[in-house]
Amino acid sequence: MSSIEKAGTYKLGDRTVKRMGYGAMQLAGKGVFGPPKDRDAAIAVLREAIESGVDHIDTSDFYGPHVTNQIIKEALHPYSKDLLIVSKIGAKRGADASWNPAFSRQELIDAVHDNLRNLGIDVIEAINLRAMFSHHGPAEGSMEEPLTVLAELQQKGLIKHIGLSNVTRKQIEDGRKITEIVCVQNQYNLAHREDDALIDQLADEGTAYVPFFPLGGFSPLQSSTLSDVATRLGATPLQVALAWLLKRSPNILLIPGTSSVGHLRENLAVADIELTQDAMRELNGIAAKA
C-alpha cells in the first residue's frame, strides 16, 4: 500500500477521494500573481501528483489570475475520470496583486465561465464560494445572494457541488437553506485552531473540511515542540504538522501546495508517520503557546 492510500479516503459531494490531495496555489508566480518562473516545473509537479495517486486538486481562477487553471489544463487535460478538481470563486485580483471581493451576480457568473474555459471542462464538479467580509478571517455577512446565483448555475448544469470558504458556522447553516454544502474550506493548522468545534460538528454531519494554509501559509509553522517531535520521528516539522491534521479528524482533506516535486513527495509521505498519544498531546499544546 502506498503512503497516500494509508491516509484513507473521505466523501466530498458524491465523490470519494483520498485524504491527501494537492493545492495548486503555489503554481502561480510570487504572491500568487503572474506566471511561475518555471512553467515546465509546475507541469511536472502536477503530473507527479497524479502519478502518485492524488485524485483531488484544489485551485482557483483568481490564482494568477487564470495561471494555475491554464497550467492544470496543459498538464493534465484530458482529465482522468477519477480526478476531482475543486475551484473557488468570490474574489478577484487587482492590477496591484490585491485580493478583492467579487460577489456581484455578474462577477460570479463570469468567474464560473472563466473556470470552465481555463480548465477546459463543461461542468465544475465542485466550487467553493469564498467569503470576503474581512481580511482577518471569517466574519458574519449574508451569503444569500451569491449562493442563490451559484444555485441557479447548479440547476443549469454548470456546477455540480457547492462548498463554502472562510465562513462561520452561521453562514454554513444559512447556506444549507439554499443548497447542499458539501465542504468547508477555512484556515486551520496546528497553531490556528479556531475551527476545532466546527470540524467536529461537520464530521458528525459527514461534511468534508479542507484546511487552507495547513502549514501556516506565507509564514510557515515554526515551533520548538514541533521540531522536537519531528526529530524523534525522523521527519520534517512540516510533515509532522500534516500528519497531525490527518489524525485530528477523519473528515479533514489535505491540500498542501508546493511548486517542487521533491517537496510534493515529502508531503505525500506523511501518512507513514505514526503519532503516539504522547506526541499528539505535545502537538495539541502548540496552539496555546501561539
Side-chain angles (χ1 to χ4, degrees), residues 232-233 247 274-283:
R232 294 203 306 268
L233 293 173
K247 197 171 178 88
E274 296 185 11
L275 296 178
T276 64
Q277 290 185 351
D278 287 342
M280 286 295 290
R281 276 194 293 269
E282 290 180 71
L283 296 170

Side-chain angles (χ1 to χ4, degrees), residues 3-112:
S3 295
I4 190 171
E5 290 173 333
K6 291 178 184 177
T9 61
Y10 199 78
K11 195 170 183 179
L12 198 164
D14 62 354
R15 301 281 292 274
T16 297
V17 296
K18 299 183 180 79
R19 293 181 64 206
M20 282 300 306
Y22 174 75
M25 186 174 74
Q26 292 190 33
L27 295 183
K30 184 178 181 181
V32 201
F33 196 72
K37 288 184 178 180
D38 189 336
R39 191 179 182 92
D40 289 340
I43 289 172
V45 169
L46 284 164
R47 290 177 176 168
E48 176 75 18
I50 298 302
E51 289 171 5
S52 299
V54 167
D55 59 6
H56 170 206
I57 291 178
D58 182 87
T59 186
S60 173
D61 209 57
F62 57 71
Y63 294 162
H66 313 306
V67 171
T68 59
N69 281 354
Q70 292 170 355
I71 293 175
I72 289 170
K73 179 182 177 182
E74 182 178 348
L76 304 178
H77 195 276
Y79 306 112
S80 164
K81 62 183 174 117
D82 298 325
L83 177 61
L84 175 64
I85 299 177
V86 180
S87 195
K88 184 165 42 268
I89 61 175
K92 62 183 178 182
R93 306 302 298 277
D96 59 351
S98 57
W99 302 78
N100 305 304
F103 255 40
S104 74
R105 178 181 182 84
Q106 194 58 51
E107 285 172 324
L108 294 170
I109 292 172
D110 289 347
V112 167

